[in-house]
Amino acid sequence: MREIEFDTVVKTVRDLIIHCSTDLPEDMYNALKTSVEVEKSPVAKAVLEQILDNANIAKTEERPLCQDTGLAVFFVRVGEEVKIKGGLLRDAINMGTEQGYKDGYLRASTCHPFSRANLKDTIGYNLPAIIHFDLVAGDKIEIEYAAKGGGSENVSRARVFPPAAGKEGIIEYVREVVSDAGGNPCPPIVVGVGIGGTFEKAVISSKHALFRDIGTENPDEELNEMEQTMLEQINNLGIGAMGMGGTKTAMAVHIESNPCHIASLPVSVNIQCHSSRHAHITL
Amino acid sequence: MATYHLTTPLTSEDTRQLNAGDVVYLSGVLYTARDAAHKRLVDLIDKGEELPFDLEGSVIYFVGPTPPKPGDPIGSAGPTTSYRMDSYSPTMLAHGSKGMIGKGKRNQAVIDACKEYDGIYFGATGGAGALLGKRIKSAEVIAYPELGPEAVRRIEVEDFPVTVINDTHGRDLYQMGREQYEVK
Ligand code: SF4
Protein backbone atom coordinates (compact mmCIF):
# COMPACT_ATOMS: atom_id res chain seq x y z
CA MET A 1 0.00 0.00 0.00
CA ARG A 2 1.48 3.31 -1.09
CA GLU A 3 1.21 6.19 1.38
CA ILE A 4 0.85 9.89 0.65
CA GLU A 5 1.32 12.47 3.38
CA PHE A 6 -1.79 14.44 4.38
CA ASP A 7 0.19 17.68 4.11
CA THR A 8 1.29 16.87 0.56
CA VAL A 9 -2.35 16.73 -0.52
CA VAL A 10 -3.13 19.98 1.32
CA LYS A 11 -0.27 21.83 -0.34
CA THR A 12 -1.01 20.40 -3.79
CA VAL A 13 -4.63 21.49 -3.62
CA ARG A 14 -3.72 24.92 -2.24
CA ASP A 15 -1.21 25.56 -5.03
CA LEU A 16 -3.56 24.26 -7.73
CA ILE A 17 -6.28 26.69 -6.62
CA ILE A 18 -4.00 29.72 -6.51
CA HIS A 19 -2.51 28.87 -9.90
CA CYS A 20 -5.93 28.38 -11.54
CA SER A 21 -7.31 31.65 -10.20
CA THR A 22 -4.89 33.75 -12.25
CA ASP A 23 -3.76 31.53 -15.12
CA LEU A 24 -6.33 30.76 -17.81
CA PRO A 25 -5.70 27.27 -19.27
CA GLU A 26 -4.05 27.25 -22.67
CA ASP A 27 -6.93 25.49 -24.45
CA MET A 28 -9.32 28.26 -23.40
CA TYR A 29 -6.87 31.03 -24.22
CA ASN A 30 -6.33 29.65 -27.71
CA ALA A 31 -10.05 29.15 -28.27
CA LEU A 32 -10.65 32.80 -27.33
CA LYS A 33 -7.94 33.91 -29.73
CA THR A 34 -9.60 32.00 -32.56
CA SER A 35 -12.94 33.51 -31.54
CA VAL A 36 -11.60 37.07 -31.90
CA GLU A 37 -10.46 36.25 -35.42
CA VAL A 38 -13.76 34.83 -36.62
CA GLU A 39 -16.21 37.07 -34.74
CA LYS A 40 -18.17 39.30 -37.12
CA SER A 41 -19.65 41.77 -34.63
CA PRO A 42 -17.34 44.70 -33.76
CA VAL A 43 -18.95 45.06 -30.31
CA ALA A 44 -18.39 41.37 -29.50
CA LYS A 45 -14.87 41.50 -30.93
CA ALA A 46 -14.01 44.34 -28.54
CA VAL A 47 -15.37 42.28 -25.63
CA LEU A 48 -13.29 39.25 -26.66
CA GLU A 49 -10.19 41.42 -26.87
CA GLN A 50 -10.87 42.64 -23.34
CA ILE A 51 -11.20 39.05 -22.14
CA LEU A 52 -7.80 38.21 -23.63
CA ASP A 53 -6.23 41.38 -22.16
CA ASN A 54 -7.71 40.38 -18.83
CA ALA A 55 -6.10 36.94 -19.06
CA ASN A 56 -2.71 38.52 -19.77
CA ILE A 57 -3.01 40.96 -16.86
CA ALA A 58 -4.22 38.23 -14.49
CA LYS A 59 -1.28 36.02 -15.33
CA THR A 60 1.54 38.55 -15.30
CA GLU A 61 0.29 40.46 -12.24
CA GLU A 62 -1.14 37.44 -10.42
CA ARG A 63 -4.61 38.93 -10.01
CA PRO A 64 -7.74 36.74 -10.00
CA LEU A 65 -9.20 36.43 -13.53
CA CYS A 66 -12.70 37.01 -12.20
CA GLN A 67 -14.00 38.29 -8.86
CA ASP A 68 -16.33 35.30 -8.68
CA THR A 69 -13.69 32.81 -7.69
CA GLY A 70 -16.38 30.18 -7.44
CA LEU A 71 -17.06 27.13 -5.38
CA ALA A 72 -14.20 24.66 -5.45
CA VAL A 73 -15.24 21.53 -7.37
CA PHE A 74 -13.14 18.36 -7.41
CA PHE A 75 -13.30 15.06 -9.24
CA VAL A 76 -10.96 12.73 -7.38
CA ARG A 77 -10.01 9.25 -8.59
CA VAL A 78 -8.42 7.32 -5.77
CA GLY A 79 -6.37 4.19 -6.50
CA GLU A 80 -7.32 1.20 -4.34
CA GLU A 81 -3.68 0.75 -3.35
CA VAL A 82 -3.00 4.18 -1.89
CA LYS A 83 -3.83 5.72 1.46
CA ILE A 84 -3.37 9.06 3.13
CA LYS A 85 -1.01 9.16 6.08
CA GLY A 86 -2.08 11.43 8.91
CA GLY A 87 -5.71 12.14 8.10
CA LEU A 88 -8.63 11.79 5.73
CA LEU A 89 -8.41 12.65 2.04
CA ARG A 90 -11.61 14.70 2.21
CA ASP A 91 -10.23 16.78 5.08
CA ALA A 92 -6.97 17.36 3.20
CA ILE A 93 -8.83 18.63 0.14
CA ASN A 94 -10.98 20.93 2.25
CA MET A 95 -7.98 22.23 4.12
CA GLY A 96 -6.11 22.87 0.86
CA THR A 97 -9.17 24.67 -0.46
CA GLU A 98 -9.38 26.96 2.55
CA GLN A 99 -5.67 27.76 2.39
CA GLY A 100 -5.72 28.34 -1.36
CA TYR A 101 -8.68 30.72 -1.22
CA LYS A 102 -7.25 32.62 1.74
CA ASP A 103 -3.64 32.82 0.59
CA GLY A 104 -4.62 33.64 -2.99
CA TYR A 105 -6.84 36.57 -1.86
CA LEU A 106 -9.82 34.87 -3.43
CA ARG A 107 -13.45 35.47 -2.52
CA ALA A 108 -15.25 33.26 -0.02
CA SER A 109 -18.57 32.55 -1.71
CA THR A 110 -20.21 29.71 0.24
CA CYS A 111 -23.32 30.58 2.23
CA HIS A 112 -26.30 29.03 4.01
CA PRO A 113 -29.09 28.39 1.46
CA PHE A 114 -31.79 30.25 3.42
CA SER A 115 -30.17 32.78 5.73
CA ARG A 116 -27.54 33.45 3.01
CA ALA A 117 -25.00 33.90 5.83
CA ASN A 118 -21.43 33.52 4.55
CA LEU A 119 -19.83 30.38 5.97
CA LYS A 120 -16.26 31.68 6.11
CA ASP A 121 -16.20 32.07 9.89
CA THR A 122 -18.29 29.00 10.73
CA ILE A 123 -17.60 26.09 8.38
CA GLY A 124 -14.49 27.60 6.80
CA TYR A 125 -13.27 30.02 4.14
CA ASN A 126 -15.11 29.02 0.92
CA LEU A 127 -15.88 25.61 2.46
CA PRO A 128 -17.12 23.02 1.99
CA ALA A 129 -15.55 22.08 -1.32
CA ILE A 130 -17.72 20.01 -3.66
CA ILE A 131 -15.92 16.67 -4.02
CA HIS A 132 -16.84 13.73 -6.26
CA PHE A 133 -14.84 10.61 -5.36
CA ASP A 134 -14.31 7.57 -7.51
CA LEU A 135 -12.35 4.38 -6.77
CA VAL A 136 -10.01 3.10 -9.45
CA ALA A 137 -7.22 0.55 -9.82
CA GLY A 138 -3.63 1.50 -9.00
CA ASP A 139 -1.72 3.45 -6.37
CA LYS A 140 -2.23 7.02 -7.55
CA ILE A 141 -4.62 9.85 -6.73
CA GLU A 142 -5.82 11.90 -9.64
CA ILE A 143 -7.33 15.28 -8.80
CA GLU A 144 -9.31 17.40 -11.26
CA TYR A 145 -10.19 20.84 -9.97
CA ALA A 146 -12.43 23.64 -11.24
CA ALA A 147 -13.49 26.96 -9.74
CA LYS A 148 -17.17 27.18 -10.66
CA GLY A 149 -18.74 30.64 -10.66
CA GLY A 150 -22.41 31.36 -9.99
CA GLY A 151 -23.34 33.03 -13.28
CA SER A 152 -22.98 29.94 -15.43
CA GLU A 153 -24.30 27.51 -12.81
CA ASN A 154 -27.48 29.59 -12.44
CA VAL A 155 -28.52 28.94 -16.03
CA SER A 156 -27.67 25.22 -16.08
CA ARG A 157 -30.56 22.75 -16.24
CA ALA A 158 -31.49 19.07 -16.20
CA ARG A 159 -34.52 17.11 -17.28
CA VAL A 160 -35.55 13.49 -17.69
CA PHE A 161 -37.08 12.94 -21.13
CA PRO A 162 -39.18 10.03 -22.31
CA PRO A 163 -37.00 7.77 -24.52
CA ALA A 164 -38.95 8.85 -27.60
CA ALA A 165 -37.39 12.33 -27.39
CA GLY A 166 -34.26 10.77 -28.89
CA LYS A 167 -31.27 12.62 -30.29
CA GLU A 168 -33.44 15.31 -31.83
CA GLY A 169 -35.04 16.08 -28.47
CA ILE A 170 -31.66 16.37 -26.77
CA ILE A 171 -30.25 18.69 -29.43
CA GLU A 172 -33.33 20.90 -29.22
CA TYR A 173 -33.15 21.00 -25.41
CA VAL A 174 -29.50 22.07 -25.37
CA ARG A 175 -30.26 24.85 -27.85
CA GLU A 176 -33.18 26.00 -25.71
CA VAL A 177 -31.13 26.08 -22.48
CA VAL A 178 -28.38 28.16 -24.11
CA SER A 179 -30.91 30.43 -25.81
CA ASP A 180 -32.72 31.18 -22.53
CA ALA A 181 -29.40 31.81 -20.77
CA GLY A 182 -28.50 34.63 -23.20
CA GLY A 183 -25.62 36.77 -21.94
CA ASN A 184 -25.95 35.81 -18.26
CA PRO A 185 -23.36 32.98 -18.18
CA CYS A 186 -20.65 35.26 -19.68
CA PRO A 187 -20.37 33.87 -23.22
CA PRO A 188 -18.44 32.66 -25.10
CA ILE A 189 -19.21 29.50 -23.17
CA VAL A 190 -18.40 25.81 -23.14
CA VAL A 191 -21.45 23.56 -22.91
CA GLY A 192 -21.22 20.31 -20.96
CA VAL A 193 -23.93 17.78 -21.75
CA GLY A 194 -24.55 14.68 -19.67
CA ILE A 195 -26.78 12.05 -21.22
CA GLY A 196 -28.18 8.86 -19.75
CA GLY A 197 -27.53 7.17 -16.42
CA THR A 198 -29.89 8.14 -13.63
CA PHE A 199 -30.93 11.72 -12.96
CA GLU A 200 -27.89 12.57 -10.82
CA LYS A 201 -25.49 10.61 -13.04
CA ALA A 202 -26.48 12.79 -16.00
CA VAL A 203 -25.88 15.95 -13.96
CA ILE A 204 -22.47 14.85 -12.72
CA SER A 205 -21.49 13.76 -16.25
CA SER A 206 -22.44 17.18 -17.62
CA LYS A 207 -20.11 18.81 -15.10
CA HIS A 208 -17.31 16.38 -15.81
CA ALA A 209 -17.66 16.94 -19.57
CA LEU A 210 -16.45 20.50 -18.97
CA PHE A 211 -13.01 19.24 -17.95
CA ARG A 212 -12.20 17.97 -21.44
CA ASP A 213 -9.78 20.20 -23.32
CA ILE A 214 -11.33 22.43 -25.95
CA GLY A 215 -10.28 21.34 -29.41
CA THR A 216 -10.19 17.63 -28.58
CA GLU A 217 -12.63 15.39 -30.42
CA ASN A 218 -15.14 13.11 -28.77
CA PRO A 219 -13.80 9.59 -29.46
CA ASP A 220 -17.36 8.36 -30.09
CA GLU A 221 -18.27 9.21 -33.67
CA GLU A 222 -21.99 9.60 -33.05
CA LEU A 223 -21.44 11.92 -30.06
CA ASN A 224 -18.81 13.86 -31.96
CA GLU A 225 -21.31 14.54 -34.71
CA MET A 226 -23.94 15.62 -32.17
CA GLU A 227 -21.45 18.01 -30.60
CA GLN A 228 -20.79 19.64 -33.96
CA THR A 229 -24.50 19.97 -34.71
CA MET A 230 -25.19 21.50 -31.31
CA LEU A 231 -22.27 23.92 -31.59
CA GLU A 232 -23.45 25.17 -34.96
CA GLN A 233 -27.02 25.66 -33.73
CA ILE A 234 -25.82 27.52 -30.63
CA ASN A 235 -23.61 29.86 -32.63
CA ASN A 236 -26.54 30.56 -34.94
CA LEU A 237 -28.48 31.97 -31.98
CA GLY A 238 -26.59 35.26 -32.36
CA ILE A 239 -26.06 35.78 -28.60
CA GLY A 240 -22.34 36.57 -28.94
CA ALA A 241 -19.75 37.56 -26.33
CA MET A 242 -21.47 38.83 -23.15
CA GLY A 243 -24.80 38.56 -25.00
CA MET A 244 -24.16 41.72 -27.00
CA GLY A 245 -24.85 40.01 -30.31
CA GLY A 246 -22.35 38.06 -32.38
CA THR A 247 -21.37 34.88 -34.14
CA LYS A 248 -19.40 33.24 -31.32
CA THR A 249 -21.62 32.18 -28.42
CA ALA A 250 -19.94 28.87 -27.60
CA MET A 251 -16.45 27.57 -28.20
CA ALA A 252 -17.26 23.91 -27.70
CA VAL A 253 -19.93 21.40 -26.74
CA HIS A 254 -18.72 18.34 -24.81
CA ILE A 255 -20.93 15.30 -24.28
CA GLU A 256 -20.55 12.45 -21.81
CA SER A 257 -23.00 9.62 -22.28
CA ASN A 258 -23.97 6.68 -20.05
CA PRO A 259 -26.22 3.63 -20.34
CA CYS A 260 -29.65 4.37 -18.85
CA HIS A 261 -32.93 2.79 -17.73
CA ILE A 262 -35.24 1.42 -20.48
CA ALA A 263 -37.93 3.87 -19.36
CA SER A 264 -35.97 7.11 -19.27
CA LEU A 265 -33.60 9.52 -21.02
CA PRO A 266 -31.98 11.92 -18.52
CA VAL A 267 -30.25 14.96 -19.99
CA SER A 268 -28.28 17.62 -18.15
CA VAL A 269 -26.75 20.82 -19.49
CA ASN A 270 -24.00 22.43 -17.43
CA ILE A 271 -22.65 25.70 -18.73
CA GLN A 272 -19.12 26.98 -18.28
CA CYS A 273 -18.25 30.64 -18.74
CA HIS A 274 -15.15 31.80 -20.59
CA SER A 275 -13.36 32.13 -17.24
CA SER A 276 -12.81 28.39 -17.23
CA ARG A 277 -10.43 27.88 -14.35
CA HIS A 278 -9.56 24.21 -14.15
CA ALA A 279 -6.54 21.94 -13.92
CA HIS A 280 -5.63 18.40 -13.05
CA ILE A 281 -2.79 16.76 -11.25
CA THR A 282 -1.74 13.21 -10.34
CA LEU A 283 -0.16 12.34 -7.00
CA MET B 1 -20.82 52.16 -32.27
CA ALA B 2 -19.45 55.51 -31.09
CA THR B 3 -16.93 56.02 -28.29
CA TYR B 4 -17.36 58.52 -25.45
CA HIS B 5 -15.34 59.60 -22.42
CA LEU B 6 -17.63 60.71 -19.59
CA THR B 7 -17.05 61.83 -16.02
CA THR B 8 -19.47 61.19 -13.18
CA PRO B 9 -21.83 62.48 -11.84
CA LEU B 10 -23.72 62.13 -15.12
CA THR B 11 -26.31 64.61 -16.35
CA SER B 12 -29.30 64.05 -18.62
CA GLU B 13 -27.29 65.77 -21.32
CA ASP B 14 -24.59 63.10 -20.94
CA THR B 15 -26.96 60.17 -21.02
CA ARG B 16 -29.34 61.30 -23.78
CA GLN B 17 -26.60 61.34 -26.40
CA LEU B 18 -25.78 57.66 -25.85
CA ASN B 19 -27.09 54.82 -27.99
CA ALA B 20 -27.20 51.08 -27.33
CA GLY B 21 -23.90 49.62 -28.54
CA ASP B 22 -21.77 52.72 -27.81
CA VAL B 23 -18.56 52.25 -25.85
CA VAL B 24 -18.08 54.59 -22.89
CA TYR B 25 -14.97 55.15 -20.78
CA LEU B 26 -16.15 56.34 -17.37
CA SER B 27 -14.02 58.35 -14.98
CA GLY B 28 -14.85 59.75 -11.56
CA VAL B 29 -16.77 58.21 -8.68
CA LEU B 30 -18.93 55.08 -8.81
CA TYR B 31 -20.81 53.45 -5.92
CA THR B 32 -20.83 49.69 -5.54
CA ALA B 33 -23.92 47.80 -4.38
CA ARG B 34 -25.45 44.36 -4.85
CA ASP B 35 -28.89 43.04 -3.85
CA ALA B 36 -28.47 43.16 -0.08
CA ALA B 37 -27.26 46.78 -0.19
CA HIS B 38 -29.95 47.78 -2.70
CA LYS B 39 -32.63 46.47 -0.37
CA ARG B 40 -31.34 48.70 2.42
CA LEU B 41 -30.94 51.75 0.17
CA VAL B 42 -34.45 51.44 -1.21
CA ASP B 43 -35.82 50.98 2.33
CA LEU B 44 -34.20 54.31 3.26
CA ILE B 45 -35.71 56.01 0.21
CA ASP B 46 -39.16 54.61 1.06
CA LYS B 47 -38.87 55.94 4.59
CA GLY B 48 -37.64 59.30 3.34
CA GLU B 49 -34.36 58.96 5.21
CA GLU B 50 -30.94 60.14 4.11
CA LEU B 51 -28.78 57.85 1.96
CA PRO B 52 -25.08 57.19 2.59
CA PHE B 53 -24.27 59.00 -0.67
CA ASP B 54 -25.85 61.54 -3.03
CA LEU B 55 -27.95 59.73 -5.65
CA GLU B 56 -28.08 62.69 -8.06
CA GLY B 57 -26.21 61.74 -11.22
CA SER B 58 -24.71 58.70 -9.54
CA VAL B 59 -23.64 55.53 -11.30
CA ILE B 60 -24.06 52.28 -9.36
CA TYR B 61 -21.72 49.36 -10.05
CA PHE B 62 -23.09 45.87 -9.30
CA VAL B 63 -19.96 44.15 -8.01
CA GLY B 64 -18.66 42.00 -5.16
CA PRO B 65 -14.85 42.22 -5.46
CA THR B 66 -12.21 39.79 -4.25
CA PRO B 67 -10.22 40.92 -1.18
CA PRO B 68 -7.42 43.35 -2.13
CA LYS B 69 -3.83 42.21 -2.04
CA PRO B 70 -1.68 44.26 0.36
CA GLY B 71 -1.10 47.69 -1.17
CA ASP B 72 -3.98 47.52 -3.69
CA PRO B 73 -7.20 49.54 -3.26
CA ILE B 74 -9.38 46.60 -4.37
CA GLY B 75 -9.08 43.08 -5.75
CA SER B 76 -10.57 41.78 -8.98
CA ALA B 77 -13.81 43.61 -9.66
CA GLY B 78 -15.93 42.59 -12.63
CA PRO B 79 -19.73 42.95 -12.85
CA THR B 80 -22.26 40.58 -11.32
CA THR B 81 -25.55 39.50 -12.91
CA SER B 82 -27.96 42.43 -12.81
CA TYR B 83 -31.46 40.93 -12.75
CA ARG B 84 -31.27 40.57 -8.97
CA MET B 85 -31.36 44.38 -8.82
CA ASP B 86 -34.36 44.72 -11.19
CA SER B 87 -36.88 45.30 -8.41
CA TYR B 88 -34.80 48.14 -6.90
CA SER B 89 -33.30 49.96 -9.90
CA PRO B 90 -36.44 51.90 -11.00
CA THR B 91 -36.65 53.50 -7.52
CA MET B 92 -32.96 54.43 -7.65
CA LEU B 93 -33.40 56.01 -11.10
CA ALA B 94 -36.55 57.86 -10.02
CA HIS B 95 -34.51 59.46 -7.23
CA GLY B 96 -31.72 60.82 -9.38
CA SER B 97 -29.35 57.97 -10.14
CA LYS B 98 -28.32 58.09 -13.81
CA GLY B 99 -26.54 54.85 -14.46
CA MET B 100 -25.95 51.22 -13.54
CA ILE B 101 -23.13 48.88 -14.50
CA GLY B 102 -23.64 45.11 -14.51
CA LYS B 103 -24.08 42.17 -16.83
CA GLY B 104 -27.09 40.38 -18.26
CA LYS B 105 -30.68 41.25 -19.19
CA ARG B 106 -32.86 43.71 -17.28
CA ASN B 107 -36.65 43.51 -17.09
CA GLN B 108 -39.04 45.84 -18.90
CA ALA B 109 -39.59 47.98 -15.78
CA VAL B 110 -35.87 48.88 -15.71
CA ILE B 111 -35.79 49.53 -19.46
CA ASP B 112 -38.83 51.82 -19.08
CA ALA B 113 -37.31 53.60 -16.09
CA CYS B 114 -34.13 54.31 -18.12
CA LYS B 115 -36.32 55.99 -20.71
CA GLU B 116 -38.38 57.93 -18.20
CA TYR B 117 -35.52 59.19 -16.01
CA ASP B 118 -32.65 59.49 -18.53
CA GLY B 119 -30.84 56.51 -17.07
CA ILE B 120 -28.39 54.17 -18.77
CA TYR B 121 -27.73 50.51 -18.12
CA PHE B 122 -24.11 49.83 -18.99
CA GLY B 123 -22.67 46.36 -19.48
CA ALA B 124 -19.12 45.63 -18.35
CA THR B 125 -17.29 42.49 -19.42
CA GLY B 126 -18.03 39.68 -17.00
CA GLY B 127 -14.93 37.73 -16.12
CA ALA B 128 -12.64 40.69 -16.84
CA GLY B 129 -12.16 41.28 -13.12
CA ALA B 130 -8.39 41.75 -13.21
CA LEU B 131 -8.55 44.34 -15.99
CA LEU B 132 -11.50 46.21 -14.46
CA GLY B 133 -10.05 46.10 -10.94
CA LYS B 134 -6.96 47.88 -12.25
CA ARG B 135 -9.05 50.81 -13.48
CA ILE B 136 -10.20 51.40 -9.91
CA LYS B 137 -7.85 53.91 -8.31
CA SER B 138 -9.30 54.05 -4.81
CA ALA B 139 -12.00 52.29 -2.83
CA GLU B 140 -13.57 53.10 0.50
CA VAL B 141 -16.40 51.31 2.30
CA ILE B 142 -19.01 53.98 3.11
CA ALA B 143 -21.89 51.84 4.35
CA TYR B 144 -22.86 48.35 5.57
CA PRO B 145 -19.34 46.96 6.20
CA GLU B 146 -21.00 43.87 7.72
CA LEU B 147 -22.02 42.81 4.20
CA GLY B 148 -18.37 42.06 3.35
CA PRO B 149 -17.90 41.96 -0.43
CA GLU B 150 -21.45 43.33 -0.73
CA ALA B 151 -20.79 46.50 1.30
CA VAL B 152 -21.37 49.90 -0.35
CA ARG B 153 -18.08 51.33 -1.56
CA ARG B 154 -17.19 54.65 -3.05
CA ILE B 155 -14.70 53.90 -5.79
CA GLU B 156 -12.76 56.21 -8.07
CA VAL B 157 -12.24 54.96 -11.59
CA GLU B 158 -10.25 56.05 -14.59
CA ASP B 159 -11.32 55.12 -18.12
CA PHE B 160 -13.51 52.30 -16.90
CA PRO B 161 -14.69 50.53 -20.11
CA VAL B 162 -18.42 49.84 -20.46
CA THR B 163 -20.92 49.34 -23.29
CA VAL B 164 -24.39 50.92 -23.45
CA ILE B 165 -26.99 48.15 -23.18
CA ASN B 166 -30.21 50.06 -22.40
CA ASP B 167 -30.28 53.69 -23.50
CA THR B 168 -32.66 56.60 -22.79
CA HIS B 169 -34.60 55.79 -25.96
CA GLY B 170 -35.82 52.43 -24.69
CA ARG B 171 -33.45 50.37 -26.78
CA ASP B 172 -31.83 47.10 -25.69
CA LEU B 173 -28.49 45.99 -27.12
CA TYR B 174 -29.04 42.36 -26.03
CA GLN B 175 -32.14 42.16 -28.21
CA MET B 176 -30.81 44.25 -31.11
CA GLY B 177 -27.44 42.50 -31.21
CA ARG B 178 -28.98 39.08 -31.13
CA GLU B 179 -31.48 39.86 -33.88
CA GLN B 180 -28.68 41.16 -36.06
CA TYR B 181 -26.54 38.03 -35.81
CA GLU B 182 -29.16 35.31 -35.48
CA VAL B 183 -29.13 32.79 -38.33
CA LYS B 184 -32.63 31.37 -38.74
S1 SF4 C 1 -20.04 33.59 -15.16
FE1 SF4 C 1 -17.83 33.18 -15.02
S2 SF4 C 1 -16.81 34.95 -15.95
FE2 SF4 C 1 -18.92 35.51 -15.52
S3 SF4 C 1 -18.83 36.50 -13.52
FE3 SF4 C 1 -19.35 34.34 -13.17
S4 SF4 C 1 -17.39 33.29 -12.87
FE4 SF4 C 1 -16.93 35.29 -13.75
Side-chain angles (χ1 to χ4, degrees):
Chain A
M1 192 64 120
R2 183 177 163 233
E3 288 189 334
I4 299 177
E5 294 285 341
F6 182 87
D7 292 346
T8 307
V9 179
V10 173
K11 174 137 187 6
T12 304
V13 168
R14 172 196 176 274
D15 293 350
L16 202 61
I17 286 173
I18 294 177
H19 173 81
C20 280
S21 69
T22 60
D23 197 349
L24 198 67
E26 208 181 320
D27 63 321
M28 179 54 87
Y29 190 86
N30 291 338
L32 285 164
K33 265 191 141 163
T34 316
S35 302
V36 176
E37 283 157 26
V38 300
E39 177 56 63
K40 296 206 180 92
S41 149
V43 178
K45 221 185 195 26
V47 169
L48 290 165
E49 273 160 8
Q50 244 184 52
I51 293 172
L52 282 170
D53 273 357
N54 182 67
N56 295 334
I57 293 171
K59 187 172 177 164
T60 51
E61 300 185 19
E62 295 186 350
R63 293 168 183 272
L65 285 151
C66 179
Q67 75 291 336
D68 185 351
T69 48
L71 295 196
V73 180
F74 296 89
F75 281 88
V76 185
R77 276 183 291 281
V78 189
E80 302 225 19
E81 293 157 54
V82 57
K83 66 176 238 205
I84 304 301
K85 198 174 151 207
L88 298 175
L89 180 55
R90 182 184 295 279
D91 294 344
I93 293 171
N94 274 316
M95 195 180 275
T97 299
E98 176 156 52
Q99 288 185 9
Y101 273 77
K102 265 191 184 161
D103 297 351
Y105 297 93
L106 309 183
R107 206 177 74 184
S109 306
T110 51
C111 74
H112 185 277
F114 307 137
S115 74
R116 310 306 293 178
N118 198 292
L119 302 179
K120 65 181 171 12
D121 301 319
T122 48
I123 294 187
Y125 200 89
N126 212 41
L127 293 187
I130 309 292
I131 314 173
H132 305 288
F133 285 109
D134 201 359
L135 273 178
V136 296
D139 63 356
K140 303 225 169 352
I141 297 178
E142 216 186 305
I143 301 176
E144 289 177 300
Y145 161 74
K148 200 66 174 69
S152 54
E153 285 292 278
N154 288 351
V155 293
S156 298
R157 266 193 243 161
R159 181 171 163 189
V160 182
F161 282 89
K167 274 160 69 172
E168 297 307 312
I170 297 173
I171 292 170
E172 172 58 25
Y173 181 59
V174 171
R175 200 185 67 90
E176 182 189 302
V177 172
V178 176
S179 174
D180 289 350
N184 284 5
C186 291
I189 53 175
V190 177
V191 184
V193 183
I195 301 173
T198 45
F199 181 72
E200 88 285 5
K201 179 75 182 170
V203 174
I204 293 170
S205 298
S206 67
K207 165 113 334 139
H208 191 253
L210 296 172
F211 284 80
R212 197 175 107 206
D213 277 349
I214 304 172
T216 56
E217 287 207 346
N218 196 315
D220 181 299
E221 210 176 298
E222 190 176 21
L223 296 180
N224 188 42
E225 211 175 283
M226 275 174 85
E227 290 179 358
Q228 297 317 315
T229 308
M230 288 173 179
L231 184 62
E232 193 187 321
Q233 288 194 8
I234 289 169
N235 284 329
N236 283 344
L237 290 170
I239 295 169
M242 290 314 295
M244 297 184 189
T247 52
K248 260 296 184 191
T249 301
M251 291 172 288
V253 178
H254 293 166
I255 303 176
E256 281 192 15
S257 173
N258 310 283
C260 58
H261 192 281
I262 46 172
S264 49
L265 178 58
V267 181
S268 169
V269 186
N270 195 196
I271 295 188
Q272 171 64 56
C273 58
H274 64 77
S275 198
S276 168
R277 294 149 289 177
H278 65 94
H280 96 271
I281 201 161
T282 305
L283 287 175
Chain B
M1 180 185 155
T3 301
Y4 295 87
H5 286 80
L6 296 177
T7 303
T8 63
L10 299 182
T11 62
S12 287
E13 205 178 311
D14 290 328
T15 59
R16 277 196 208 138
Q17 63 183 337
L18 302 174
N19 293 302
D22 288 347
V23 172
V24 178
Y25 291 92
L26 286 173
S27 296
V29 170
L30 309 176
Y31 295 96
T32 75
R34 293 171 44 122
D35 11 351
H38 269 80
K39 187 172 185 314
R40 297 190 190 192
L41 294 171
V42 168
D43 278 352
L44 290 178
I45 294 176
D46 288 345
K47 285 193 227 143
E49 287 173 22
E50 203 185 324
L51 296 186
F53 61 91
D54 187 4
L55 268 188
E56 196 53 47
S58 64
V59 178
I60 314 292
Y61 185 20
F62 308 149
V63 61
T66 57
K69 284 190 174 180
D72 286 346
I74 203 161
S76 285
T80 192
T81 311
S82 307
Y83 71 83
R84 298 193 309 269
M85 271 57 76
D86 281 357
S87 48
Y88 308 115
S89 292
T91 307
M92 302 284 281
L93 292 166
H95 288 81
S97 177
K98 282 277 179 279
M100 304 156 276
I101 307 172
K103 70 175 180 92
K105 282 191 278 265
R106 310 307 302 273
N107 68 10
Q108 196 56 43
V110 176
I111 296 174
D112 292 345
C114 282
K115 197 171 169 183
E116 189 171 349
Y117 305 111
D118 292 335
I120 298 281
Y121 171 51
F122 297 102
T125 301
L131 182 146
L132 295 171
K134 270 192 79 172
R135 306 284 168 100
I136 298 173
K137 299 303 163 191
S138 73
E140 179 198 352
V141 173
I142 56 163
Y144 319 134
E146 66 280 9
L147 294 180
E150 300 204 36
V152 174
R153 289 176 172 78
R154 177 187 192 276
I155 61 174
E156 265 177 285
V157 297
E158 216 176 275
D159 286 334
F160 193 86
V162 291
T163 307
V164 177
I165 305 291
N166 298 118
D167 59 23
T168 59
H169 317 289
R171 283 185 291 222
D172 181 15
L173 177 65
Y174 292 137
Q175 200 194 329
M176 289 159 50
R178 193 161 166 175
E179 274 164 13
Q180 190 177 349
Y181 291 98
E182 187 175 4
V183 183
K184 291 226 169 105

